[in-house]
Amino acid sequence: MFNDSVPPVLSVVGYSDSGKTTYLEKLIPALKKRGIKLCVIKHDAHSFDMDMPGKDSWRLTQAGADITVVSSPAKIAVIEKWEHEENLSALALRFRGKADLILTEGYKRDSALKIEIRRAANKALDPFCKDEELFAVAGDYDLETEAKTSVPLLPLDDAAPMADLIMSFLKEKGFK
C-alpha cells in the first residue's frame, strides 16, 4: 500500500467492442492474487443511472438529494450529482490511501498511461494510442511482427504477464 499517496492510474483503452471489459475481468483477479488493492473506474461518455426507478435511493435522489448513499455491511454506493464531468486526476484524489492502483476503462483522452487492447479484427485500423501514451499493448494476434511499437506486447487471452508487468511498475513507484 502507498499510504496516503494518490494511486497510480492505468487506463484500458481500445476500439469499441475490442474486449476492454473482458480483459479487465481477467486482469483484476490476476492483480488481486498478487495482493493489490484496486479501484476500477468505468468511463461512460453518456449519462447513466445506477438507481433503479422506484427503489428508495432513486426516490430520495428524485426528491432532491444532492448526495445519496446506500450502505450495507458489504458495500457502499454513493450517488452524487455533478455540475460537470470530473477529470480522472480529481477522481484519483478521492481514492488516496484506499487503493494501490486505479484501473480505468476508457478515459482515452486523459494523460494516464494506457493499456491498449488490439484485436485482429481491427488490425487494419491505426493504433488507438501513440507510443508515448502507452504502458503496454495486449492483443490477440502476433503483435511482435505487426504492432510497430516499443512498449511491451502481451497476450490478450492471459492477463498474468500484464499483472507481472504492473507489479514491476508498482514496485518502481514504491509499492511494498
Side-chain angles (χ1 to χ4, degrees), residues 23-42:
Y23 189 70
L24 279 166
E25 287 176 314
K26 295 174 189 170
L27 184 57
I28 291 167
L31 289 166
K32 293 300 291 178
K33 271 196 236 180
R34 289 159 176 80
I36 300 300
K37 192 169 183 181
L38 288 169
C39 170
V40 180
I41 301 173
K42 164 74 172 124

Side-chain angles (χ1 to χ4, degrees), residues 22 37 51 68 80 82 98 108 111 114 159 162:
T22 301
K37 192 169 183 181
D51 273 343
T68 303
E80 191 171 349
W82 289 96
K98 296 180 182 179
K108 60 188 174 197
S111 63
K114 294 164 183 63
M162 186 69 74

Side-chain angles (χ1 to χ4, degrees), residues 89-101:
S89 296
L91 284 173
L93 283 171
R94 291 173 161 249
F95 303 104
R96 182 185 349 213
K98 296 180 182 179
D100 300 317
L101 175 67

